Amino acid sequence: MLKLMEINTLENDTGKVIRVLLVDDEDSYRNAIARRLERRHMIVSQAPDGTACLEYLAGNEVDVVVLDMKMPGISGMETFKGISKYYPGLQVIFLTGNAAVSEGVEGVKAGAFDYLSKPVEIDHLASKIRQAWEFKRLEAARERDKIFRRRLEKRMIHTQRLASLGTMSTGIAHEINNPLAIIKESAGFMRMVLEQSDKIPEQEMLFKCLEKIEKSVDRARRITHQLLGYVRKQSRDLTPVDIVALIEDTMVLIKQKTQVKKVSVQWDPEPEGQMQMYTDPFQVRQVLINLLENAVDAVDVGGQIRLALYRQEQSVCLEVRDNGSGITPENMEKIFDPFFTTKPNVSENESGTGLGLFVVHKIMTGLSGSIRVESEPGHGATFTICLPEWHSDEQPG
Ligand SMILES: Nc1ncnc2c1ncn2[C@@H]1O[C@H](COP(=O)(O)OP(=O)(O)OP(=O)(O)O)[C@@H](O)[C@H]1O
Ligand SMILES: [Mg+2]
């Protein structure tokens, strides 16, 4: 049966104890090799056949498997296939019979790290095991690096997509603004004429149609204003800002919305006095309004919004925490996309435009800041924005 011996835990010269699984059906040979590898500072576990080997791997971490090719039951090669399938990063060194070099070559072709012919020279085996372990370590690091790069690429593609969508949608908004103004003005004139005359046929119906036109124009204007709000000022307008006062002023601006829903907006914890920074108050206020409005929309009647302000390295960070519906992982990927909204069409005027966070993202990028979102669906969301306290290129003299 499977014997487990974990005796020597001394570290090798790379600072890590190598865990070896030695699989061989000859008990005395296996024991002898195990003892000698342990003297070379390795943790050696033993398995007498392929089945025991796979059983052991299912419950234990191993770095390198030394696998006899010729065993009763499932062969070394079959065992190797099982290892490759379920433990792809694990390195295997085959032990072959003296006259079976071709089998070893087959093993290496199938993906084993290497093979040694019996009888093995123990220092040779120990050095092969160290090489296999080093290879495994490098492979794992490469894999981590690949995952990191893939994530980074995905984020960059997302940011680039947002940037091009931004350019396109602001261009369209600009173009649409003029016809909208003309429609609005003409509708106003038509309303005036309708109100002044009682001889116009179907007057009631015309009033209804006009109302629809005016509401639709208002909605379209909300969209263009949201988009153009941050474009109008091409350059940042940086001035010294008392950020606590700015946040408190903004809280007053959204008071009507919070009062209707009996939502409390409070500091938690209270900021420590004034906090001066150098930024664009107009744009920061727009960011705050958009975040606070979203938080109010997300909570139930009587919900809570908590604000925290703190310094972190060279930045000032504001946390806007709500106890609302939260954001699903699926939606999390899309919330900064223009026109992504989950807010239902309550009426032509009250549905979301899906531009609030898109604009927040644009402004934060322009101000060299960052934005982070955390959310547990059903338990609320926390948006954290961080802005540089000072812009080194534009500090006041
Ligand atoms: N605090 C929050 N809690 C839960 N979901 C949120 C929160 N903030 C944003 N969201 C989600 O992100 C979506 C996009 O937000 P965004 O502000 O861009 O648009 P909107 O709020 O839907 O529309 P508008 O800003 O024009 O009212 C929202 O529809 C909502 O699903
Ligand atoms: Mg919004």
Side-chain angles (χ1 to χ4, degrees):
M1 250 335 282
L2 182 73
K3 269 197 258 169
L4 171 63
M5 290 192 268
E6 293 186 1
I7 305 163
N8 199 333
T9 53
L10 276 176
E11 292 188 345
N12 67 12
D13 53 1
T14 52
K16 168 90 167 59
V17 186
I18 305 178
R19 295 158 300 183
V20 179
L21 177 62
L22 187 56
V23 191
D24 197 302
D25 59 310
E26 282 176 56
D27 288 351
S28 55
Y29 179 75
R30 196 183 61 234
N31 283 329
I33 298 272
R35 260 198 320 276
R36 295 168 77 188
L37 287 177
E38 279 157 8
R39 264 187 242 128
R40 283 159 180 81
H41 311 316
M42 294 177 190
I43 296 178
V44 185
S45 310
Q46 300 184 36
D49 53 44
T51 312
C53 161
L54 292 173
E55 269 174 19
Y56 183 78
L57 291 177
N60 300 277
E61 291 250 354
V62 166
D63 298 310
V64 180
V65 178
V66 177
L67 184 60
D68 189 15
M69 277 226 140
K70 220 172 176 57
M71 289 186 295
I74 57 171
S75 69
M77 202 59 179
E78 287 301 312
T79 310
F80 175 69
K81 283 184 189 155
I83 295 174
S84 314
K85 182 167 175 196
Y86 296 109
Y87 313 98
L90 196 50
Q91 297 305 315
V92 174
I93 298 169
F94 274 121
L95 298 183
T96 67
N98 206 359
V101 173
S102 59
E103 282 183 0
V105 174
E106 280 307 302
V108 173
K109 275 192 193 156
F113 180 73
D114 210 343
Y115 74 93
L116 294 176
S117 303
K118 281 182 179 174
V120 291
E121 207 279 300
I122 195 70
D123 282 322
H124 192 188
L125 176 61
S127 128
K128 262 297 158 243
I129 291 172
R130 280 193 200 99
Q131 285 171 17
W133 175 79
E134 183 63 22
F135 181 78
K136 176 177 178 258
R137 224 166 53 98
L138 290 176
E139 280 292 290
R142 258 198 290 271
E143 191 52 33
R144 277 197 303 274
D145 191 50
K146 228 162 57 188
I147 292 171
F148 175 75
R149 274 167 196 280
R150 229 178 280 144
R151 276 206 205 123
L152 200 69
E153 263 170 30
K154 209 171 146 193
R155 207 174 304 160
M156 273 169 68
I157 289 170
H158 188 237
T159 310
Q160 281 165 2
R161 200 163 57 85
L162 280 187
S164 56
L165 278 170
T167 314
M168 193 181 75
S169 44
T170 46
I172 294 172
H174 211 267
E175 289 307 310
I176 285 177
N177 238 9
N178 285 344
L180 279 181
I182 295 168
I183 298 172
K184 176 121 182 138
E185 207 183 292
S186 307
F189 178 71
M190 282 158 74
R191 178 173 287 282
M192 200 180 74
V193 174
L194 269 183
E195 279 167 355
Q196 282 171 1
S197 167
D198 48 5
K199 292 189 197 89
I200 297 177
E202 308 276 9
Q203 196 171 21
E204 195 61 17
M205 208 188 71
L206 289 176
F207 265 124
K208 276 198 182 131
C209 288
L210 253 187
E211 202 172 305
K212 272 191 191 164
I213 293 173
E214 284 167 343
K215 276 189 173 170
S216 301
V217 169
D218 283 344
R219 173 164 167 71
R221 278 165 71 96
R222 267 185 63 210
I223 295 176
T224 55
H225 285 176
Q226 182 76 285
L227 281 172
L228 294 171
Y230 72 92
V231 177
R232 203 167 289 139
K233 293 157 81 283
Q234 288 292 344
S235 61
R236 304 174 304 193
D237 226 347
L238 304 183
T239 84
V241 173
D242 174 354
I243 188 71
V244 178
L246 179 74
I247 295 168
E248 285 177 348
D249 287 351
T250 315
M251 280 149 83
V252 175
L253 285 181
I254 61 145
K255 205 164 190 140
Q256 208 206 346
K257 193 164 168 137
T258 52
Q259 274 175 348
V260 170
K261 234 175 148 179
K262 299 189 173 55
V263 174
S264 74
V265 187
Q266 277 167 14
W267 285 112
D268 179 21
E270 201 69 39
E272 288 161 15
Q274 263 198 1
M275 209 183 273
Q276 283 286 332
M277 60 187 297
Y278 200 62
T279 192
D280 181 328
F282 172 84
Q283 294 192 320
V284 173
R285 180 176 294 129
Q286 185 65 57
V287 166
L288 295 174
I289 290 174
N290 292 8
L291 292 182
L292 288 170
E293 285 193 336
N294 280 348
V296 178
D297 288 340
V299 297
D300 288 330
V301 173
Q304 293 177 344
I305 300 172
R306 298 284 176 263
L307 305 178
L309 191 68
Y310 53 91
R311 279 204 174 88
Q312 195 173 62
E313 290 163 8
Q314 305 293 309
S315 295
V316 172
C317 298
L318 172 72
E319 232 178 64
V320 180
R321 225 172 331 130
D322 67 62
N323 64 348
S325 55
I327 304 164
T328 62
E330 194 201 346
N331 285 350
M332 195 61 109
E333 305 256 303
K334 307 178 204 149
I335 56 172
F336 292 102
D337 287 357
F339 305 111
F340 174 77
T341 181
T342 56
K343 296 178 189 167
N345 258 337
V346 187
S347 74
E348 280 115 317
N349 268 345
E350 281 178 46
S351 59
T353 64
L355 291 173
L357 286 180
F358 170 68
V359 168
V360 166
H361 186 272
K362 279 301 265 186
I363 293 178
M364 292 307 291
T365 310
L367 292 176
S368 316
S370 66
I371 178 156
R372 194 176 68 235
V373 195
E374 288 154 289
S375 175
E376 200 186 327
H379 292 92
T382 303
F383 283 76
T384 308
I385 52 164
C386 290
L387 284 162
E389 208 170 339
W390 303 102
H391 285 263
S392 52
D393 49 331
E394 294 176 75
Q395 275 191 31

Short mmCIF file of all heavy atoms in Angstrom, two decimals, residues 158 161-162 165 169 219 222-223 226-227 290 294 297 325-344 351-360 373 383:
data_model
loop_
_atom_site.label_atom_id
_atom_site.label_comp_id
_atom_site.label_asym_id
_atom_site.label_seq_id
_atom_site.Cartn_x
_atom_site.Cartn_y
_atom_site.Cartn_z
N HIS A 158 -10.71 47.66 -23.10
CA HIS A 158 -11.93 48.28 -22.58
C HIS A 158 -11.77 49.80 -22.54
O HIS A 158 -12.63 50.55 -22.98
CB HIS A 158 -12.21 47.73 -21.18
CG HIS A 158 -13.53 48.14 -20.64
ND1 HIS A 158 -13.66 48.81 -19.45
CD2 HIS A 158 -14.78 48.01 -21.13
CE1 HIS A 158 -14.94 49.07 -19.25
NE2 HIS A 158 -15.65 48.58 -20.23
N ARG A 161 -11.79 51.20 -25.99
CA ARG A 161 -13.15 51.15 -26.55
C ARG A 161 -13.97 52.32 -26.00
O ARG A 161 -14.66 53.01 -26.72
CB ARG A 161 -13.80 49.81 -26.18
CG ARG A 161 -14.96 49.44 -27.05
CD ARG A 161 -15.27 47.96 -26.90
NE ARG A 161 -15.54 47.62 -25.52
CZ ARG A 161 -16.75 47.74 -24.97
NH1 ARG A 161 -17.76 48.16 -25.67
NH2 ARG A 161 -16.93 47.42 -23.69
N LEU A 162 -13.82 52.53 -24.67
CA LEU A 162 -14.54 53.65 -24.05
C LEU A 162 -14.12 54.97 -24.68
O LEU A 162 -14.94 55.83 -24.95
CB LEU A 162 -14.27 53.70 -22.55
CG LEU A 162 -15.05 52.74 -21.67
CD1 LEU A 162 -14.78 53.03 -20.21
CD2 LEU A 162 -16.54 52.85 -21.93
N LEU A 165 -15.60 55.20 -28.21
CA LEU A 165 -17.04 55.42 -28.10
C LEU A 165 -17.33 56.84 -27.63
O LEU A 165 -18.26 57.49 -28.07
CB LEU A 165 -17.65 54.45 -27.08
CG LEU A 165 -17.96 53.05 -27.60
CD1 LEU A 165 -18.32 52.13 -26.45
CD2 LEU A 165 -19.12 53.11 -28.57
N SER A 169 -19.55 59.41 -29.56
CA SER A 169 -20.84 59.85 -29.04
C SER A 169 -20.86 61.34 -28.74
O SER A 169 -21.90 61.99 -28.87
CB SER A 169 -21.27 59.02 -27.83
OG SER A 169 -20.20 58.84 -26.97
N ARG A 219 -35.62 64.70 -23.09
CA ARG A 219 -34.80 63.51 -22.83
C ARG A 219 -33.54 63.53 -23.71
O ARG A 219 -32.43 63.29 -23.23
CB ARG A 219 -35.61 62.25 -23.11
CG ARG A 219 -34.78 61.00 -23.01
CD ARG A 219 -35.60 59.75 -22.89
NE ARG A 219 -34.77 58.57 -23.12
CZ ARG A 219 -33.85 58.13 -22.27
NH1 ARG A 219 -33.62 58.76 -21.13
NH2 ARG A 219 -33.14 57.06 -22.55
N ARG A 222 -31.15 65.93 -22.33
CA ARG A 222 -30.45 65.42 -21.14
C ARG A 222 -29.22 64.61 -21.57
O ARG A 222 -28.14 64.69 -20.99
CB ARG A 222 -31.37 64.51 -20.32
CG ARG A 222 -32.11 65.23 -19.22
CD ARG A 222 -32.91 64.25 -18.39
NE ARG A 222 -32.05 63.29 -17.71
CZ ARG A 222 -32.41 62.04 -17.41
NH1 ARG A 222 -33.61 61.61 -17.74
NH2 ARG A 222 -31.60 61.24 -16.77
N ILE A 223 -29.41 63.82 -22.63
CA ILE A 223 -28.30 62.99 -23.12
C ILE A 223 -27.18 63.87 -23.67
O ILE A 223 -26.02 63.73 -23.29
CB ILE A 223 -28.80 62.01 -24.21
CG1 ILE A 223 -29.78 61.01 -23.60
CG2 ILE A 223 -27.64 61.30 -24.88
CD1 ILE A 223 -30.42 60.05 -24.58
N GLN A 226 -25.42 65.81 -20.86
CA GLN A 226 -24.55 64.94 -20.07
C GLN A 226 -23.23 64.72 -20.81
O GLN A 226 -22.15 64.86 -20.26
CB GLN A 226 -25.29 63.62 -19.83
CG GLN A 226 -24.60 62.60 -19.00
CD GLN A 226 -24.62 62.90 -17.52
OE1 GLN A 226 -23.88 63.79 -17.08
NE2 GLN A 226 -25.41 62.20 -16.74
N LEU A 227 -23.34 64.40 -22.11
CA LEU A 227 -22.15 64.12 -22.90
C LEU A 227 -21.29 65.35 -23.12
O LEU A 227 -20.07 65.29 -23.09
CB LEU A 227 -22.54 63.55 -24.27
CG LEU A 227 -22.92 62.08 -24.30
CD1 LEU A 227 -23.46 61.72 -25.66
CD2 LEU A 227 -21.71 61.22 -23.98
N ASN A 290 -23.18 62.57 -10.12
CA ASN A 290 -23.50 61.32 -10.82
C ASN A 290 -23.41 60.12 -9.87
O ASN A 290 -24.26 59.23 -9.90
CB ASN A 290 -22.58 61.12 -12.02
CG ASN A 290 -22.85 62.13 -13.11
OD1 ASN A 290 -23.61 63.06 -12.93
ND2 ASN A 290 -22.22 61.96 -14.26
N ASN A 294 -26.73 57.94 -8.51
CA ASN A 294 -26.80 56.49 -8.70
C ASN A 294 -27.05 55.78 -7.38
O ASN A 294 -27.82 54.82 -7.32
CB ASN A 294 -25.47 55.97 -9.28
CG ASN A 294 -25.39 56.18 -10.77
OD1 ASN A 294 -26.38 56.51 -11.41
ND2 ASN A 294 -24.21 56.01 -11.32
N ASP A 297 -30.62 56.15 -6.44
CA ASP A 297 -31.45 55.27 -7.26
C ASP A 297 -31.36 53.82 -6.80
O ASP A 297 -32.33 53.07 -6.91
CB ASP A 297 -30.99 55.32 -8.74
CG ASP A 297 -31.34 56.65 -9.40
OD1 ASP A 297 -32.23 57.35 -8.89
OD2 ASP A 297 -30.70 56.99 -10.42
N SER A 325 -29.12 47.92 -4.10
CA SER A 325 -29.25 46.63 -4.78
C SER A 325 -27.91 46.00 -5.17
O SER A 325 -27.83 44.80 -5.41
CB SER A 325 -30.07 46.84 -6.05
OG SER A 325 -29.46 47.86 -6.82
N GLY A 326 -26.86 46.81 -5.24
CA GLY A 326 -25.56 46.27 -5.66
C GLY A 326 -25.52 46.02 -7.16
O GLY A 326 -26.50 46.26 -7.88
N ILE A 327 -24.37 45.52 -7.62
CA ILE A 327 -24.16 45.34 -9.07
C ILE A 327 -23.74 43.89 -9.32
O ILE A 327 -22.82 43.40 -8.67
CB ILE A 327 -23.06 46.30 -9.57
CG1 ILE A 327 -23.43 47.74 -9.21
CG2 ILE A 327 -22.84 46.17 -11.07
CD1 ILE A 327 -22.28 48.72 -9.30
N THR A 328 -24.38 43.23 -10.26
CA THR A 328 -24.02 41.83 -10.54
C THR A 328 -22.67 41.81 -11.25
O THR A 328 -22.31 42.77 -11.94
CB THR A 328 -25.05 41.16 -11.47
OG1 THR A 328 -25.05 41.88 -12.71
CG2 THR A 328 -26.45 41.18 -10.89
N PRO A 329 -21.91 40.70 -11.11
CA PRO A 329 -20.61 40.64 -11.79
C PRO A 329 -20.76 40.86 -13.30
O PRO A 329 -19.91 41.47 -13.93
CB PRO A 329 -20.13 39.22 -11.50
CG PRO A 329 -20.87 38.78 -10.30
CD PRO A 329 -22.18 39.51 -10.30
N GLU A 330 -21.85 40.40 -13.87
CA GLU A 330 -22.06 40.55 -15.32
C GLU A 330 -22.20 42.03 -15.69
O GLU A 330 -21.59 42.52 -16.64
CB GLU A 330 -23.32 39.77 -15.68
CG GLU A 330 -23.48 39.55 -17.15
CD GLU A 330 -24.92 39.26 -17.51
OE1 GLU A 330 -25.72 38.97 -16.60
OE2 GLU A 330 -25.24 39.36 -18.70
N ASN A 331 -22.98 42.77 -14.89
CA ASN A 331 -23.17 44.20 -15.18
C ASN A 331 -21.92 45.02 -14.87
O ASN A 331 -21.67 46.05 -15.48
CB ASN A 331 -24.34 44.76 -14.37
CG ASN A 331 -25.66 44.30 -14.96
OD1 ASN A 331 -25.69 43.75 -16.05
ND2 ASN A 331 -26.74 44.52 -14.25
N MET A 332 -21.14 44.52 -13.91
CA MET A 332 -19.93 45.24 -13.49
C MET A 332 -19.03 45.54 -14.71
O MET A 332 -18.39 46.57 -14.78
CB MET A 332 -19.19 44.36 -12.48
CG MET A 332 -18.15 45.04 -11.69
SD MET A 332 -18.79 46.38 -10.69
CE MET A 332 -18.68 45.73 -9.07
N GLU A 333 -19.02 44.62 -15.67
CA GLU A 333 -18.20 44.79 -16.87
C GLU A 333 -18.69 45.94 -17.76
O GLU A 333 -17.96 46.42 -18.59
CB GLU A 333 -18.28 43.51 -17.72
CG GLU A 333 -17.92 42.25 -17.00
CD GLU A 333 -16.54 41.76 -17.38
OE1 GLU A 333 -16.34 41.54 -18.57
OE2 GLU A 333 -15.68 41.65 -16.48
N LYS A 334 -19.97 46.31 -17.57
CA LYS A 334 -20.57 47.23 -18.55
C LYS A 334 -20.91 48.60 -18.00
O LYS A 334 -21.28 49.49 -18.76
CB LYS A 334 -21.87 46.62 -19.10
CG LYS A 334 -21.72 45.22 -19.64
CD LYS A 334 -23.07 44.71 -20.10
CE LYS A 334 -23.14 43.20 -20.11
NZ LYS A 334 -24.46 42.68 -19.84
N ILE A 335 -20.86 48.76 -16.67
CA ILE A 335 -21.44 49.99 -16.10
C ILE A 335 -20.78 51.29 -16.59
O ILE A 335 -21.40 52.33 -16.56
CB ILE A 335 -21.46 49.97 -14.55
CG1 ILE A 335 -20.07 49.73 -13.99
CG2 ILE A 335 -22.47 48.98 -14.03
CD1 ILE A 335 -20.01 49.88 -12.47
N PHE A 336 -19.52 51.21 -17.07
CA PHE A 336 -18.89 52.44 -17.55
C PHE A 336 -19.11 52.66 -19.05
O PHE A 336 -18.67 53.65 -19.61
CB PHE A 336 -17.39 52.44 -17.24
CG PHE A 336 -17.10 52.53 -15.76
CD1 PHE A 336 -16.75 51.42 -15.04
CD2 PHE A 336 -17.24 53.74 -15.10
CE1 PHE A 336 -16.52 51.50 -13.67
CE2 PHE A 336 -17.01 53.84 -13.74
CZ PHE A 336 -16.65 52.72 -13.02
N ASP A 337 -19.77 51.71 -19.69
CA ASP A 337 -20.06 51.86 -21.12
C ASP A 337 -21.13 52.93 -21.33
O ASP A 337 -22.08 53.00 -20.55
CB ASP A 337 -20.60 50.55 -21.71
CG ASP A 337 -19.52 49.51 -21.85
OD1 ASP A 337 -18.36 49.83 -21.55
OD2 ASP A 337 -19.85 48.37 -22.24
N PRO A 338 -20.99 53.75 -22.40
CA PRO A 338 -22.04 54.73 -22.63
C PRO A 338 -23.35 54.02 -22.97
O PRO A 338 -23.34 53.01 -23.66
CB PRO A 338 -21.53 55.54 -23.81
CG PRO A 338 -20.47 54.72 -24.44
CD PRO A 338 -19.91 53.83 -23.39
N PHE A 339 -24.42 54.56 -22.45
CA PHE A 339 -25.79 54.08 -22.70
C PHE A 339 -26.12 52.76 -22.03
O PHE A 339 -27.16 52.19 -22.29
CB PHE A 339 -26.11 54.02 -24.21
CG PHE A 339 -25.86 55.32 -24.89
CD1 PHE A 339 -24.84 55.48 -25.80
CD2 PHE A 339 -26.65 56.44 -24.60
CE1 PHE A 339 -24.58 56.70 -26.41
CE2 PHE A 339 -26.41 57.67 -25.21
CZ PHE A 339 -25.38 57.81 -26.10
N PHE A 340 -25.24 52.25 -21.16
CA PHE A 340 -25.63 51.05 -20.42
C PHE A 340 -26.43 51.49 -19.19
O PHE A 340 -25.94 52.24 -18.35
CB PHE A 340 -24.43 50.22 -19.96
CG PHE A 340 -24.86 49.08 -19.06
CD1 PHE A 340 -25.44 47.95 -19.61
CD2 PHE A 340 -24.78 49.19 -17.68
CE1 PHE A 340 -25.90 46.92 -18.80
CE2 PHE A 340 -25.24 48.17 -16.86
CZ PHE A 340 -25.80 47.03 -17.42
N THR A 341 -27.66 51.04 -19.11
CA THR A 341 -28.49 51.38 -17.96
C THR A 341 -29.39 50.21 -17.61
O THR A 341 -29.78 49.44 -18.48
CB THR A 341 -29.34 52.65 -18.23
OG1 THR A 341 -30.11 52.94 -17.07
CG2 THR A 341 -30.27 52.49 -19.42
N THR A 342 -29.68 50.08 -16.32
CA THR A 342 -30.64 49.05 -15.90
C THR A 342 -31.90 49.72 -15.37
O THR A 342 -32.75 49.09 -14.78
CB THR A 342 -30.06 48.17 -14.78
OG1 THR A 342 -29.66 49.03 -13.71
CG2 THR A 342 -28.91 47.33 -15.27
N LYS A 343 -31.94 51.08 -15.56
CA LYS A 343 -33.08 51.80 -14.99
C LYS A 343 -34.25 51.80 -15.96
O LYS A 343 -34.13 52.26 -17.09
CB LYS A 343 -32.66 53.21 -14.60
CG LYS A 343 -31.62 53.10 -13.49
CD LYS A 343 -31.05 54.36 -13.02
CE LYS A 343 -29.88 54.00 -12.10
NZ LYS A 343 -29.06 55.14 -11.80
N PRO A 344 -35.35 51.21 -15.53
CA PRO A 344 -36.48 51.01 -16.45
C PRO A 344 -37.08 52.32 -16.92
O PRO A 344 -36.94 53.36 -16.28
CB PRO A 344 -37.48 50.23 -15.60
CG PRO A 344 -37.10 50.53 -14.19
CD PRO A 344 -35.64 50.79 -14.17
N SER A 351 -36.31 57.74 -17.39
CA SER A 351 -35.43 56.57 -17.51
C SER A 351 -33.97 57.03 -17.50
O SER A 351 -33.67 58.19 -17.78
CB SER A 351 -35.73 55.84 -18.81
OG SER A 351 -35.54 56.71 -19.87
N GLY A 352 -33.08 56.09 -17.19
CA GLY A 352 -31.66 56.46 -17.14
C GLY A 352 -31.10 56.63 -18.55
O GLY A 352 -31.57 55.98 -19.48
N THR A 353 -30.09 57.49 -18.66
CA THR A 353 -29.46 57.64 -19.98
C THR A 353 -28.30 56.64 -20.12
O THR A 353 -27.86 56.36 -21.23
CB THR A 353 -28.87 59.05 -20.17
OG1 THR A 353 -27.83 59.23 -19.20
CG2 THR A 353 -29.90 60.13 -20.02
N GLY A 354 -27.80 56.16 -18.99
CA GLY A 354 -26.64 55.27 -19.04
C GLY A 354 -25.36 56.02 -19.35
O GLY A 354 -24.37 55.43 -19.79
N LEU A 355 -25.37 57.33 -19.06
CA LEU A 355 -24.17 58.12 -19.36
C LEU A 355 -23.45 58.60 -18.10
O LEU A 355 -22.32 59.06 -18.17
CB LEU A 355 -24.54 59.33 -20.22
CG LEU A 355 -24.97 59.00 -21.65
CD1 LEU A 355 -25.47 60.25 -22.36
CD2 LEU A 355 -23.82 58.38 -22.41
N GLY A 356 -24.15 58.48 -16.95
CA GLY A 356 -23.58 59.03 -15.72
C GLY A 356 -22.18 58.53 -15.43
O GLY A 356 -21.24 59.31 -15.26
N LEU A 357 -22.00 57.20 -15.41
CA LEU A 357 -20.69 56.64 -15.05
C LEU A 357 -19.68 56.79 -16.18
O LEU A 357 -18.48 56.89 -15.94
CB LEU A 357 -20.83 55.16 -14.67
CG LEU A 357 -21.46 54.91 -13.31
CD1 LEU A 357 -21.55 53.43 -13.02
CD2 LEU A 357 -20.69 55.61 -12.19
N PHE A 358 -20.17 56.80 -17.39
CA PHE A 358 -19.29 57.02 -18.54
C PHE A 358 -18.62 58.39 -18.40
O PHE A 358 -17.40 58.54 -18.58
CB PHE A 358 -20.14 56.92 -19.82
CG PHE A 358 -19.43 57.36 -21.06
CD1 PHE A 358 -18.38 56.63 -21.56
CD2 PHE A 358 -19.84 58.50 -21.74
CE1 PHE A 358 -17.72 57.02 -22.72
CE2 PHE A 358 -19.19 58.90 -22.89
CZ PHE A 358 -18.13 58.17 -23.38
N VAL A 359 -19.44 59.38 -18.04
CA VAL A 359 -18.91 60.73 -17.86
C VAL A 359 -17.96 60.77 -16.66
O VAL A 359 -16.88 61.37 -16.71
CB VAL A 359 -20.08 61.74 -17.68
CG1 VAL A 359 -19.58 63.08 -17.21
CG2 VAL A 359 -20.83 61.89 -19.00
N VAL A 360 -18.33 60.07 -15.59
CA VAL A 360 -17.46 60.01 -14.41
C VAL A 360 -16.08 59.45 -14.82
O VAL A 360 -15.04 60.00 -14.48
CB VAL A 360 -18.08 59.08 -13.32
CG1 VAL A 360 -17.06 58.73 -12.25
CG2 VAL A 360 -19.28 59.76 -12.69
N VAL A 373 -14.69 50.19 -8.08
CA VAL A 373 -16.04 49.80 -7.64
C VAL A 373 -15.97 48.45 -6.96
O VAL A 373 -15.31 47.54 -7.46
CB VAL A 373 -17.01 49.61 -8.84
CG1 VAL A 373 -18.44 49.56 -8.37
CG2 VAL A 373 -16.80 50.63 -9.90
N PHE A 383 -18.28 53.02 -4.46
CA PHE A 383 -17.47 53.64 -5.51
C PHE A 383 -16.39 54.48 -4.81
O PHE A 383 -16.71 55.29 -3.94
CB PHE A 383 -18.33 54.55 -6.39
CG PHE A 383 -19.18 53.79 -7.38
CD1 PHE A 383 -20.32 53.13 -6.97
CD2 PHE A 383 -18.82 53.74 -8.72
CE1 PHE A 383 -21.10 52.42 -7.88
CE2 PHE A 383 -19.59 53.03 -9.64
CZ PHE A 383 -20.73 52.36 -9.21
#
